[in-house]
Amino acid sequence: MNKILAVVITLITFSVNAQRGYKDSNRIGIGAGLTQMDIYTDNLTVTPGNGWIGGFSVRGNYYNNWQMSFGMFFTDSNFSVPTLGTSGIEDLNVKLSAVQIYIVPSYVLVEDHVNLEFGPVLQVNGKLGVDNDKETNVLLDHPTLIAKDILDVSKFNANIYVGINAGTKNFRARIGYQYGLTNMFGNLNSKDNIKATGDKFKGNLGLISGQLTIYL
């Protein structure tokens, strides 16, 4: 994590130095908001859940009507899957904690007010989390598996982001969508208990986020 933070700080420093002299000064933003996460998979029945996202970014002019943003965000997002627990059938809440690093160009639609953003996001995942007393819940989609069998997901995801932010120079609302280009469940396919099912697990992240950002 320290290495990731060092890379982001370096990129932001380069961005600040490279963009000096443009008509709009670089702006450091602090933002937070809500998310809704889904996983597109044929292996599990997934119900999207809500979560939060927050972090910092630097935005500045790059060339003509183009701007560039660098940032790091922390997120806790949730989804649920049907399971059989000690009290019967229940939707098990699963939490994903992650760090997102993005380098996103944006096109200025209305100067100082509206930007269209699109670009890559690197997501670093922790293990999926469930309540300790729910780890042995049986997955209804795979009765030979329990909840803790699917928690060790892939550590890295490559996402593509598209969104829009609108407001004033110092205050913006930001709405965006991310789609995972890589297999979030890829790491599970190396596990013996997953291999025993005969299925290849595959899942792609879908994340909607809405944030409010204050630019200093």
Side-chain angles (χ1 to χ4, degrees), residues 65-81:
N65 289 329
W66 290 92
Q67 294 186 336
M68 185 72 73
S69 293
F70 300 93
M72 173 181 280
F73 285 86
F74 300 88
T75 178
D76 273 354
S77 296
N78 299 273
F79 64 93
S80 62
V81 294

Side-chain angles (χ1 to χ4, degrees), residues 17 25 28-29 79 157-159 179 194 207 215:
N17 290 332
S25 61
I28 298 174
F79 64 93
N157 272 95
N159 305 337
Y179 179 77
I194 299 294
L207 186 72
Y215 288 99

Side-chain angles (χ1 to χ4, degrees), residues 93-110:
N93 186 73
V94 184
K95 180 173 74 174
L96 173 65
S97 297
V99 178
Q100 293 192 338
I101 302 166
Y102 72 83
I103 306 174
V104 177
S106 64
Y107 184 76
V108 180
L109 297 176
V110 180

Side-chain angles (χ1 to χ4, degrees), residues 77-215:
S77 296
N78 299 273
F79 64 93
S80 62
V81 294
T83 64
L84 178 62
T86 55
S87 59
I89 294 176
E90 61 180 310
D91 285 331
L92 176 65
N93 186 73
V94 184
K95 180 173 74 174
L96 173 65
S97 297
V99 178
Q100 293 192 338
I101 302 166
Y102 72 83
I103 306 174
V104 177
S106 64
Y107 184 76
V108 180
L109 297 176
V110 180
E111 187 175 347
D112 295 331
H113 295 291
V114 183
N115 285 44
L116 177 64
E117 303 175 314
F118 50 91
V121 176
L122 172 64
Q123 179 168 310
V124 184
N125 300 318
K127 285 187 176 181
L128 298 180
V130 298
D131 291 340
N132 291 336
D133 61 341
K134 305 292 185 181
E135 287 186 346
T136 56
N137 280 21
V138 176
L139 301 178
L140 291 186
D141 295 305
H142 286 275
T144 60
L145 299 176
I146 58 178
K148 68 179 181 181
D149 291 332
I150 63 166
L151 300 184
D152 191 13
V153 295
S154 299
K155 295 297 183 289
F156 296 95
N157 272 95
N159 305 337
I160 188 72
Y161 173 88
V162 61
I164 189 168
N165 72 66
T168 66
K169 272 189 175 184
N170 297 320
F171 186 80
R172 295 283 184 104
R174 189 173 184 226
I175 299 174
Y177 176 77
Q178 294 180 42
Y179 179 77
L181 301 175
T182 51
N183 182 10
M184 183 174 168
F185 290 154
N187 192 51
L188 299 179
N189 292 318
S190 63
K191 311 296 182 182
D192 290 338
N193 47 3
I194 299 294
K195 290 179 180 178
T197 68
D199 290 340
K200 289 289 186 180
F201 273 61
K202 186 177 187 300
N204 297 87
L205 176 77
L207 186 72
I208 300 171
S209 62
Q211 300 179 56
L212 297 177
T213 303
I214 297 174
Y215 288 99

